[in-house]
């Protein structure tokens, strides 16, 4: 007996509404491909690019970090979906979303807090970000933090480039980084 | 109730609920349809899985298995705090602990810094952490 799409959706909505989930996630469409977006009751917990996410693997990793009560639930990520849609349409420059950085080490958190201040349409460098995070000699560590940013786009690691202006790297692929910067008018 | 009992007593690691649900929803619905007919089955279906979710284990205390977060009370960066804390460790362990937990570097990068293998870096960090936990330094 196969569960109908309607019954399935009703259960998922009910589970989210009852506040029983550690994490709700869904896959959303975007101009840079499907994105897996996950959120807890504290805020956005993960955004994964299609090129790198294996849904099973992502769900397992979310379970390890946030707990096993994980369910696909479009309701949980509705605000994030709406704001991301607006961002990709060029109608939104900043996100009004809480992020859940539980389990993130203090240094990483400091760097991500500084990263969140880099304005739309601007770029900074790993070295500059290290300075503003109060660790001027830790440019490489800042690079490592960017590399493992769990909430790309909203925490805009695409705005961080090499000192010589090269794009260096991006979890979603360099073409995606370039595309995001172009969308924001940071590249001509 | 039986489900809750099972959860409470059997120390098994359950899969993410999404997988549990996906694996069982069709069987459960079939069972409910046979037992209750179409009218009652859909409500009972939702009720059943909400109860299962309610009984499901939830987040653990230290979810990542990493060190608990280091709070710098005087506003200094935590990696400085850690550097101080680790200052009594043997040099390699100290470097590995600070780079791993203070700077959040991957073991591959730490290995480069230490001129060792990633595995050796991991061992140095974990033996440093063990030593700090036991308080056997000094």
């Amino acid at each position: 007996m196969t569960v109908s799409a309607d019954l399935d959706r009703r259960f998922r909505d009910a589970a989210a509404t009852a506040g029983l989930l550690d994490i709700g996630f869904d896959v959303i469409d975007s101009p840079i491909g499907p994105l897996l977006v996950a959120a807890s009751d504290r805020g956005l917990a993960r955004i994964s690019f299609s090129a790198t996410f294996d849904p099973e693997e992502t769900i397992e990793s979310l379970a390890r970090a946030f707990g096993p009560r994980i369910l696909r639930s479009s309701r949980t990520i509705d605000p994030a979906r709406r704001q991301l849609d607006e961002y990709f349409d060029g109608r939104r420059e900043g996100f009004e979303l809480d992020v859940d950085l539980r389990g993130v080490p203090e240094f990483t958190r400091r760097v991500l807090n500084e990263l969140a201040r880099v304005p739309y349409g601007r770029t900074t460098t790993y070295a500059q970000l290290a300075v503003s995070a109060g660790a001027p000699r830790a440019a490489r560590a800042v690079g490592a933090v960017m590399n493992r940013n769990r909430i790309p786009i909203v925490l805009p690691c695409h705005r961080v480039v090499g000192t010589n202006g090269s794009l260096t790297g991006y979890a979603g692929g360099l073409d995606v980084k370039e595309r995001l910067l172009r969308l924001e008018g940071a590249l001509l | 109730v039986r489900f809750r009992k099972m959860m409470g007593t059997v120390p098994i690691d359950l899969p993410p609920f999404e997988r549990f649900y996906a694996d069982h929803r069709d069987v459960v619905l079939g069972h409910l349809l046979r037992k209750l007919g179409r009218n009652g089955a859909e409500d009972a279906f939702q009720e059943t899985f909400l109860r299962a979710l309610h009984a499901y284990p939830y987040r653990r205390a230290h979810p990542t298995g990493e060190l608990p977060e280091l709070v710098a009370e005087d506003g200094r960066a935590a990696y400085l705090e850690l550097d101080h804390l680790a200052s009594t460790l043997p040099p390699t362990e100290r470097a590995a602990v600070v780079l791993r937990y203070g700077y959040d570097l991957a073991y591959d990068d730490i290995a480069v810094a230490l001129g060792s293998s990633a595995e050796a870096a991991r061992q140095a960090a974990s033996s440093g952490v063990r030593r700090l936990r036991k308080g056997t330094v000094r």
Side-chain angles (χ1 to χ4, degrees):
Chain A
M1 194 56 56
T2 307
V3 173
S4 71
D6 180 56
L7 180 58
D8 182 67
R9 187 186 46 74
R10 273 191 283 145
F11 165 63
R12 292 176 186 279
D13 284 353
T17 306
L20 288 172
L21 299 181
D22 289 332
I23 288 286
F25 71 93
D26 204 359
V27 177
I28 70 173
D29 284 326
S30 87
I32 55 170
L35 299 172
L36 186 149
V37 179
S40 73
D41 56 349
R42 300 193 196 182
L44 205 53
R46 192 75 58 94
I47 295 179
S48 291
F49 295 103
S50 61
T52 53
F53 84 72
D54 164 0
E56 279 292 308
E57 169 69 32
T58 305
I59 293 165
E60 290 285 346
S61 129
L62 285 164
R64 284 193 298 274
F66 296 96
R69 290 186 180 182
I70 296 182
L71 197 64
R72 189 176 181 130
S73 149
S74 65
R75 180 162 293 189
T76 313
I77 61 141
D78 266 346
R81 178 207 322 274
R82 201 168 44 245
Q83 293 192 26
L84 284 164
D85 283 349
E86 290 165 2
Y87 170 80
F88 285 117
D89 282 353
R91 290 183 287 124
R92 171 174 288 277
E93 299 196 348
F95 292 97
E96 292 146 52
L97 295 167
D98 290 328
V99 291
D100 186 343
L101 295 178
R102 255 177 299 168
V104 170
E106 173 66 18
F107 175 72
T108 303
R109 195 182 291 241
R110 285 166 59 86
V111 172
L112 293 177
N113 279 337
E114 289 306 317
L115 173 66
R117 288 181 221 257
V118 180
Y120 183 92
R122 301 277 187 77
T123 57
T124 187
T125 64
Y126 298 97
Q128 280 169 4
L129 201 53
V131 170
S132 50
R137 291 166 65 198
R140 253 195 98 196
V142 165
V145 171
M146 296 305 106
N147 192 24
R148 280 179 290 141
N149 178 13
R150 294 291 172 78
I151 316 177
I153 305 170
V154 169
L155 294 177
C157 56
H158 59 279
R159 293 178 196 149
V160 186
V161 300
T163 306
N164 61 3
S166 67
L167 293 183
T168 60
Y170 196 58
L174 276 187
D175 53 328
V176 169
K177 187 170 187 172
E178 193 180 326
R179 202 155 159 186
L180 293 175
L181 289 174
R182 223 175 273 286
L183 166 75
E184 297 186 5
L187 287 179
L188 296 177
Chain B
V1 174
R2 238 168 74 202
F3 186 79
R4 188 185 296 273
K5 225 177 228 164
M6 185 178 94
M7 296 294 99
T9 52
V10 185
I12 44 168
D13 216 2
L14 283 157
F17 191 81
E18 175 67 32
R19 209 163 83 221
F20 174 88
Y21 171 68
D23 287 349
H24 294 93
R25 62 186 160 189
D26 292 349
V27 175
V28 167
L29 182 64
H31 177 73
L32 292 171
L33 280 169
R34 279 191 301 278
K35 218 174 158 183
L36 303 171
R38 186 158 290 281
N39 281 339
E42 296 212 339
D43 287 344
F45 175 85
Q46 177 158 319
E47 183 65 23
T48 301
F49 278 104
L50 284 176
R51 276 169 191 265
L53 183 54
H54 202 77
Y56 219 68
Y58 47 95
R59 67 174 75 93
R60 285 148 271 176
H62 289 299
T64 61
E66 300 234 352
L67 276 181
E69 195 188 320
L70 293 163
V71 179
E73 288 177 2
D74 57 3
R76 283 194 302 163
Y79 59 91
L80 294 175
E81 206 66 24
L82 189 60
D83 203 21
H84 173 71
L85 192 72
S87 63
T88 48
L89 290 177
T92 308
E93 290 181 10
R94 176 187 174 193
V97 167
V98 170
L99 291 173
R100 176 67 194 94
Y101 296 103
Y103 286 88
D104 198 33
L105 286 185
Y107 288 120
D108 286 343
D109 296 327
I110 298 171
V112 173
L114 298 181
S116 70
S117 68
E119 179 53 26
R122 197 191 59 73
Q123 279 173 10
S126 73
S127 93
V129 166
R130 262 201 312 277
R131 224 189 276 268
L132 288 172
R133 286 217 169 109
K134 278 198 217 139
T136 55
V137 283
R138 257 164 246 275

